[in-house]
């Protein structure tokens, strides 16, 4: 097991898959000469050349469509959005082209493409650059949505996403790129659609994904000090959601908190709550509490920004309330 | 082929009024020479995408009248299994990669197919058909810039029928000659008479050569005209154009232009023309009968082809609950 | 009270507001010469002229941005999307410009614009033309989302939306345009943010909006035959959601079904469920069941399409299950 | 003013390295003559929008150094209350309608402001500043087409500094002369030397006259250069350009070009130049001190200005829960 950063884990996945399959190529803004806006693609241009590592103009709608078109005829594009905020310009191609092609064509034409890049907030990037859209993409039948929280998952899930025959929305975390963690050597693939217990526990289930996983783990540590044993369940894939894993955990703990970085209204957590109360109504000893980003555009000021984000304190408060400890 | 398309569309219009075809239905009557003349210049392994006004292109590319008509009827043997519909005709085996419903949305797709041809170093060509109203859309601009920048084997065919729904070209575009838009991308361009199938064919052959051999994309502005309303729900001449204008345009009916020439050149006589028409009518009637009697897709088809794996994500069952 | 169609009610609202306020104008594809793709703007061009009823090129991103820009300097644009499916191309302007301008500018620059047009499915329009995006827009702080189900609400809510100082996403129903209903004569304004009980009942609450309101009413009628007295609560405004009205109804009926046209994952109903279980956990005698559109792109075939849509039978089945009657 | 911007940006860079400014910070050093020369040709009631590289425009338009610096520090007295940040500077009273962070996204906004001017029949002008990389984006295409089609009083100023982040113009655009893109819209256009403030000013005055008097929009391609990295996190010359190129470009420093001329023309001497610089330095230091000591926004500000009514939608409290 080597310790690598989330960034390098993604870089390994790209390199390995491009070696494995000549149909895999990377396209996006600054992925080549600039080595990637966040250096995820460092070294790939030199290694694979400009036909397989393609710098594009700032035309998200256009190059997303190019990726879909190339995938329609059998290539396996990995389309990088510098951030998912900019992908709003391309969303018509993801929703109206990528997600529907297989269905409209009665299975004749699939779109084996991966759309990836960092989502959510970083530090003081302001309202237009600090948004989490996973619940949007997960709303769309035809798309899959993957959000790794650790270097090992980042590598293993990206490899699966590239090999998947359906369009995959792969949302990374800008704040996670420098996160270090152990990654199994050699071929390491993590299946899509499987949640992962990042910390087992008996008293309460904290459902989370992406950046909120480390927040939940921090909260769980502190809670352990209060004799509260929290289970941290990392969804990893948002669509298809691993309902079984969620229900299984909650039917053991009977209490649940759902944390996510995004806005509350119709977020991923709302779907998790719906599923739990529908399928495990009698298992619940308390209402499920969600912890989400504040329901406002992200402010620039660092204190306001901090207050808008999910932190261990708010997760702990939610756990206390589902345990009626407050 | 032009006659086939004409008769097919007339029949489709008939079926629509009988309620056998639903949804939006955009007829190609008046523009037949564009699809027929241009597609004849392509190879079997080239890639084609169209807008929602694509019945003619589908037939000209070789999808059977039965396959297209059955799709309009939403039946299982339709070329998209009855799940796509009039605006979404597909036949991957013919490189016919859709009917697309979002104006301009398929232009970048074609750029991507041309990219794939270059990537694989084949000499395939990607061809995209769209209306003149689509050239004002950002997707057109972004897709053509990349095709020219990367020297891709793509051909963009703008079927300029003067109107986007009820909006005349000059009320939507700051310039009248769409072909001039090519200058923004330093792209080859030509203005083509779309009512003369031979002229169309010749221009397309030049474009195909540029794409296949020189890897240089082309923008063709094809001047044509829509004889019918925008879709079945739109009158032939609404508030936006006059009966006179339509009548006047009908004088240059592409089929008349063509048969006239054949007759002048002694390549065809009235009898032969009649025979051809009869033959075509039979094919269309057969397609109609086939479509009418064909089965609907199985109810279970509702949930297939959402993903490569037939399995539905959990939310799917919730939706069905 | 005059009986008018939903279409004409909208037309009246536009006409009256344009007479009332010279800053109000209508812009979009085919709104003028063509009299509106769905004839909602019939007659307005003749009455107000081409400067106030503006036909645009097919450039959703562009003219949505034009609307936002005009609103930033004080005009009150009503931007028509021929359908909300096409608005995906404009969504960057709604989310990154309209929704955030007031916040980013510290309250200096508001965007009093209305974005309107038909949403959801009609009949056999296929996958790209049959989508319901209300949960997407309602996810975004800074936007308001309004969805009238009746002619009276269509008129009253559109007038409120036009007078509102924030960007309003106003989603109509193509299948509702011909719906007839009584509309109060003279000035008729319906406030945003208020749900409406379309049918009072004691045994179960059916939360719905837009097209599912008539479906719920049909279901309620049949249920009455089985001695089940269902309350039909029309949300009318999706954001801000009238939580109080929902909670009030459910705490009387103790049972709830949530119906919506859109896809299930993180739909509006998921948010309603989250709110109810959080705020009225002990009031619930059964899990809340959602009835949604099938989780697939819309098929063209009419039988498959019918099977994909919400209908009274599925609502009734859901009511039976929350009443444990099956 | 150019000197003010230069010193201000140097100070901002300093503050950034000290961690007093966070997020993305895009300096305007090297391009000062563009904002100063062009904005001087406008009237107080005209409308201006910019990209995220807008510190210089904000200062040139008259937002105080204190107001801009405090915003970069995220402080309450900042011109956007500390909630907008470096990329989102606003002062509605000056018609300075933002700093915008989405490339190309503000171009249609300006078209809308120009539309409003025409709608109200005022003779205001809408001006939009954006980089050369934005011209490949669909928003540019759609916005310029409408401005030309509707004859709106808009001026589109493309600050061509040769690079969009690490991508050279010629690697992103199929044509080198951006001004030629105007031909797609039959729009007036000009190529301007952006390093000479007087040349810039003269060109802008022509454009303003066309807009104000003739209601005819203009696309100005302004040739300039970015002396620093794309943002604070980007080295001055990364993999994408050479030190030599940067050094070479620095020879045409707009401030040197300008002061040299003044001195040649005897309008200024070295002493006066020094004095001016000193004065400016004091203003910038004052701004820095002010920003550094200024208070943060009240915690409650997190929830204000989301809607006109301060009241939050229910979901808001959930989010805060
Ligand atoms: C993005 C988008 N906006 C609006 C529509 C609605 N619409 C369908 S066809 C059409 C007119 C297109 O005209 P043109 O491109 O000239 O093609 P034609 O119908 O003349 O063949 C419009 C506005 C759409 N399908 N997609
Ligand atoms: C739609 C979009 N895509 C990508 C980005 C990331 N980005 C920010 S600035 C920039 C380069 C823009 O270059 P240019 O337009 O030339 O302006 P300059 O920075 O040179 O002033 C990019 C790619 C963005 N902000 N918006
Ligand atoms: Mg047309
Ligand atoms: Mg630049």
């Amino acid at each position: 097991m080597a310790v690598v950063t989330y960034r390098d884990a993604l870089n390994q996945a790209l390199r390995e898959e491009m070696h494995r399959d000549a149909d895999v190529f990377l396209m996006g803004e600054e992925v080549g000469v600039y080595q990637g806006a966040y250096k995820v693609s460092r070294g790939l241009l030199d290694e694979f050349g400009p036909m397989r590592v393609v710098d594009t103009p700032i035309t998200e709608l256009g190059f997303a469509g190019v990726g879909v078109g190339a995938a329609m005829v059998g290539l396996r594009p990995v389309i990088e959005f510098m951030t998912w905020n900019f992908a709003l310009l391309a969303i018509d191609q993801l929703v109206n082209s990528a997600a529907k092609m297989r269905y409209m064509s009665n299975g004749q034409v699939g779109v084996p493409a991966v759309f990836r890049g960092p989502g959510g907030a970083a530090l003081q990037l302001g309202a237009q650059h600090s948004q989490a859209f996973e619940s949007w993409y997960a709303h769309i039948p035809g798309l899959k949505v993957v959000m790794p929280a650790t270097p090992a998952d980042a590598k293993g899930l990206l490899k699966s996403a590239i090999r998947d025959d359906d369009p995959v929305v792969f949302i990374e975390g800008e704040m996670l790129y420098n996160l270090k963690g152990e990654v199994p050597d050699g071929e390491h693939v993590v299946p899509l659609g499987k949640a992962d217990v990042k910390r087992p526990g008996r008293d309460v289930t904290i459902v989370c994904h992406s950046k909120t996983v480390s927040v939940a783990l921090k909260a769980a540590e502190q809670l352990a000090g209060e004799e509260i044993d929290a289970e941290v369940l990392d969804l990893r894939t948002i669509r298809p959601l691993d309902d079984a894993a969620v229900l299984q955990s909650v039917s053991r703990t009977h209490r649940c908190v759902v944390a996510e970085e995004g806005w509350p209204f119709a977020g991923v957590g709302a779907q998790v709550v719906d599923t739990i109360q529908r399928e495990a109504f009698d298992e619940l000893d308390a209402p499920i509490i969600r912890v989400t980003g504040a329901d406002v555009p992200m402010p620039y000021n660092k204190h306001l920004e901090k207050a808008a984000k999910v932190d261990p304190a708010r997760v702990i408060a939610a756990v206390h309330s589902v345990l009626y400890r407050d | 082929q032009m006659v086939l398309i004409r008769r097919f569309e007339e029949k489709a219009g008939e079926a629509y009024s009988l309620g056998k075809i639903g949804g939006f239905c955009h007829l190609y009557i008046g523009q037949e020479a564009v699809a027929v003349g241009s597609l004849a210049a392509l190879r079997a392994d080239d890639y084609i995408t169209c807008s929602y006004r694509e019945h003619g292109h589908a037939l000209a590319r070789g999808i059977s009248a039965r396959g297209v008509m059955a799709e309009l009827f939403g039946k299982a043997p339709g070329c998209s299994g009855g799940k796509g519909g009039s605006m979404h005709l597909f036949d991957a085996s013919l490189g016919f990669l859709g009917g697309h419903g979002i104006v301009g949305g398929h232009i970048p797709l074609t750029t991507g197919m041309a990219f794939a041809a270059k990537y694989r170093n084949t000499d395939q060509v990607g061809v995209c058909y769209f209306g003149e109203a689509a050239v004002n859309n950002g997707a057109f601009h972004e897709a053509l810039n990349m095709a020219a920048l990367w020297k891709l084997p793509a051909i963009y065919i703008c079927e300029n029928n003067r109107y986007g729904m009820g909006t005349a070209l000059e009320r939507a575009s700051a310039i009248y000659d769409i072909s001039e838009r090519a200058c923004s991308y330093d792209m080859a361009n030509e203005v083509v008479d779309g009512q003369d199938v031979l002229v169309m064919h010749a221009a397309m052959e030049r474009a195909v050569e540029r794409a296949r051999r020189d890897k240089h994309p082309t923008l063709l502005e094809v001047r044509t005209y829509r004889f019918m309303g925008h879709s079945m729900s739109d009158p032939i001449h609404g508030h936006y154009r006059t009966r006179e204008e339509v009548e006047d345009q009908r004088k240059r009916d592409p089929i008349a232009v063509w048969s006239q020439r054949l007759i002048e050149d002694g390549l065809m006589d009235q009898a032969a023309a009649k025979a051809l028409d009869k033959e075509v009518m039979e094919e269309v009637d057969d397609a109609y009968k086939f479509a009418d009697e064909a089965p609907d897709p199985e109810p279970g088809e509702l949930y297939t082809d959402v993903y490569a794996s037939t399995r539905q994500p959990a939310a799917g069952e919730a939706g069905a609950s």
Side-chain angles (χ1 to χ4, degrees), chain A, chain B:
Chain A
M1 290 260 225
V3 172
V4 301
T5 62
Y6 187 98
R7 169 186 290 109
D8 293 339
L10 292 167
N11 182 275
Q12 285 177 15
L14 288 168
R15 176 175 285 103
E16 289 173 19
E17 292 305 298
M18 288 176 77
H19 275 299
R20 188 186 57 76
D21 183 348
D23 287 340
V24 177
F25 68 96
L26 177 66
M27 173 178 278
E29 294 158 9
E30 310 296 347
V31 296
V33 173
Y34 199 75
Q35 308 295 307
Y38 298 100
K39 307 300 177 228
V40 170
S41 56
R42 179 183 279 129
L44 298 180
L45 174 63
D46 299 346
E47 191 166 345
F48 297 99
M51 200 66 217
R52 295 186 69 189
V53 180
V54 187
D55 283 324
T56 65
I58 304 174
T59 55
E60 282 77 8
L61 179 66
F63 68 74
V66 167
V68 175
M72 286 171 71
V73 297
L75 293 185
R76 292 186 169 269
V78 177
I79 303 299
E80 175 171 316
F81 291 119
M82 193 175 287
T83 81
W84 279 96
N85 300 289
F86 314 140
L88 293 189
L89 287 157
I91 211 157
D92 170 68
Q93 288 296 345
L94 272 69
V95 173
N96 279 324
S97 296
K100 295 179 172 48
M101 207 61 67
R102 184 182 298 277
Y103 199 84
M104 298 193 302
S105 68
N106 196 33
Q108 293 181 81
V109 183
V111 179
V114 174
F115 301 91
R116 50 158 294 275
L123 292 173
Q124 287 195 269
L125 300 188
Q128 294 181 327
H129 283 69
S130 311
Q131 306 176 83
F133 290 107
E134 51 262 40
S135 71
W136 274 27
Y137 294 103
H139 186 57
I140 306 298
L143 297 180
K144 293 179 178 177
V145 180
V146 178
M147 297 186 73
T150 66
D153 288 343
K155 179 173 182 177
L157 287 168
L158 182 52
K159 286 169 75 86
S160 294
I162 290 171
R163 299 177 191 189
D164 196 87
D165 289 331
D166 294 310
V168 178
V169 166
F170 192 93
I171 305 177
E172 301 155 10
E174 186 178 332
M175 301 302 292
L176 296 175
Y177 285 135
N178 292 324
L179 179 74
K180 284 203 170 70
E182 293 201 325
V183 176
D185 306 320
E187 176 80 340
H188 169 62
V189 179
V190 175
L192 305 187
K194 293 262 157 284
D196 183 47
V197 175
K198 289 286 193 281
R199 180 191 193 283
R202 280 176 281 90
D203 303 332
V204 58
T205 301
I206 305 175
V207 176
C208 51
H209 65 271
S210 191
K211 293 176 215 163
T212 54
V213 172
S214 52
V215 174
L217 287 169
K218 279 201 198 69
E221 257 172 55
Q222 296 186 42
L223 288 163
E226 314 169 16
E227 308 297 290
I228 296 172
D229 186 18
E231 175 148 303
V232 175
L233 183 65
D234 175 3
L235 294 172
R236 297 201 295 194
T237 297
I238 308 302
R239 184 183 182 109
L241 193 79
D242 190 351
D243 290 346
V246 173
L247 295 171
Q248 214 236 27
S249 175
V250 173
S251 39
R252 278 192 290 97
T253 61
H254 309 294
R255 291 178 157 78
C256 184
V257 165
V258 188
E260 68 188 297
E261 177 181 358
W263 293 303
F265 196 104
V268 170
Q271 182 60 36
V272 172
V273 167
D274 172 46
T275 302
I276 295 172
Q277 70 85 36
R278 178 169 19 90
E279 305 296 332
F281 188 70
D282 300 324
E283 297 284 357
L284 283 175
D285 293 344
I288 303 159
I289 301 291
R290 294 172 58 201
V291 182
T292 72
D295 202 20
V296 303
M298 188 61 81
Y300 170 77
N301 172 274
K302 58 166 158 318
H303 305 293
L304 293 183
E305 182 181 45
K306 193 167 176 317
K309 291 178 170 178
V310 172
D311 60 16
R314 280 176 52 208
V315 172
I316 289 168
V319 167
H320 285 157
S321 105
V322 299
L323 285 160
Y324 301 115
R325 291 279 188 96
D326 42 17
Chain B
Q1 271 189 317
M2 290 199 285
V3 183
L4 171 64
I5 295 171
R6 175 68 52 95
R7 297 298 182 209
F8 181 95
E9 294 289 62
E10 289 167 353
K11 198 77 182 176
E14 205 180 298
Y16 193 92
S17 346
L18 293 174
K20 292 181 180 291
I21 296 176
F24 289 146
C25 188
H26 310 84
L27 302 184
Y28 197 57
I29 293 175
Q31 306 179 211
E32 295 89 344
V34 183
V36 172
S38 56
L39 285 167
L42 293 182
R43 226 168 51 188
D45 62 348
D46 292 329
Y47 300 124
I48 297 136
T49 67
C50 304
S51 76
Y52 45 83
R53 194 181 299 284
E54 88 282 34
H55 307 165
H57 309 77
L59 293 167
R61 181 60 174 178
I63 305 183
S64 71
R66 284 182 166 204
V68 178
M69 190 66 84
E71 189 58 35
L72 302 195
F73 278 59
K75 299 299 185 73
C79 60
S80 302
K83 289 164 81 168
S86 163
M87 300 194 284
H88 307 303
L89 304 175
F90 284 83
D91 187 333
S93 68
L94 297 172
F96 193 83
L97 299 175
H100 301 272
I102 306 299
V103 168
H106 59 301
I107 307 179
L109 299 182
T110 304
T111 302
M113 294 165 194
F115 175 88
K118 182 175 183 181
Y119 184 94
R120 292 184 168 134
N121 212 337
T122 67
D123 62 352
Q124 292 161 286
V125 167
V127 181
C128 184
Y129 294 86
F130 50 89
E132 86 294 335
V135 301
N136 302 309
N137 192 281
F140 167 89
H141 179 66
E142 297 186 358
L144 267 69
N145 180 60
M146 283 185 276
L149 177 67
W150 296 335
K151 306 235 170 305
L152 302 180
I155 302 173
Y156 302 94
I157 301 181
C158 174
E159 299 193 50
N160 178 0
N161 61 9
R162 309 276 186 90
Y163 296 91
M165 273 181 93
T167 304
L169 163 63
E170 54 276 19
R171 292 203 304 121
S173 171
I175 61 172
Y176 187 79
D177 292 305
I178 284 156
S179 59
E180 288 181 12
R181 289 256 161 110
C183 78
S184 280
Y185 321 106
D186 181 27
M187 186 182 284
N189 64 308
E190 240 184 280
V191 179
V192 186
D193 172 4
Q195 302 310 80
D196 185 326
V197 68
L198 297 183
V199 170
M200 181 71 234
H201 183 70
M204 185 65 171
E205 287 200 310
R206 289 188 290 276
V208 169
E209 169 128 6
R210 263 191 302 272
R212 222 185 281 291
R213 202 193 49 196
D214 316 336
K215 307 293 172 224
H216 201 310
T218 299
L219 171 63
L220 291 181
E221 177 188 352
V222 182
R223 301 265 166 99
T224 181
Y225 199 79
R226 155 163 70 72
F227 290 174
M228 311 299 288
H230 166 71
S231 70
M232 289 306 297
S233 59
D234 181 42
I236 289 181
H237 40 82
H239 308 263
Y240 63 87
R241 61 182 189 181
T242 64
R243 169 190 304 274
E244 293 62 42
E245 177 182 318
V246 178
E247 288 316 318
D248 192 52
Q249 288 288 340
R250 281 181 166 285
K251 297 200 185 93
R252 286 211 73 233
D253 183 320
I255 293 179
V257 170
W258 163 79
S259 53
Q260 211 166 17
R261 178 179 297 107
L262 287 189
I263 289 166
E264 279 164 8
D265 300 1
L267 297 172
M268 183 172 77
D269 59 19
Q270 293 296 358
K274 278 219 164 35
L276 169 69
D277 199 48
K278 184 158 172 306
E279 194 182 306
V280 164
M281 281 308 293
E282 280 160 9
E283 184 175 352
V284 170
D285 291 337
D286 163 75
Y288 180 97
K289 190 161 176 303
F290 173 81
D292 200 25
E293 294 166 356
D296 284 303
E298 294 299 323
E301 284 296 312
L302 178 60
Y303 284 100
T304 60
D305 302 320
V306 180
Y307 295 96
S309 57
T310 48
R311 180 183 158 285
Q312 289 303 307
E317 286 105 44
S321 74

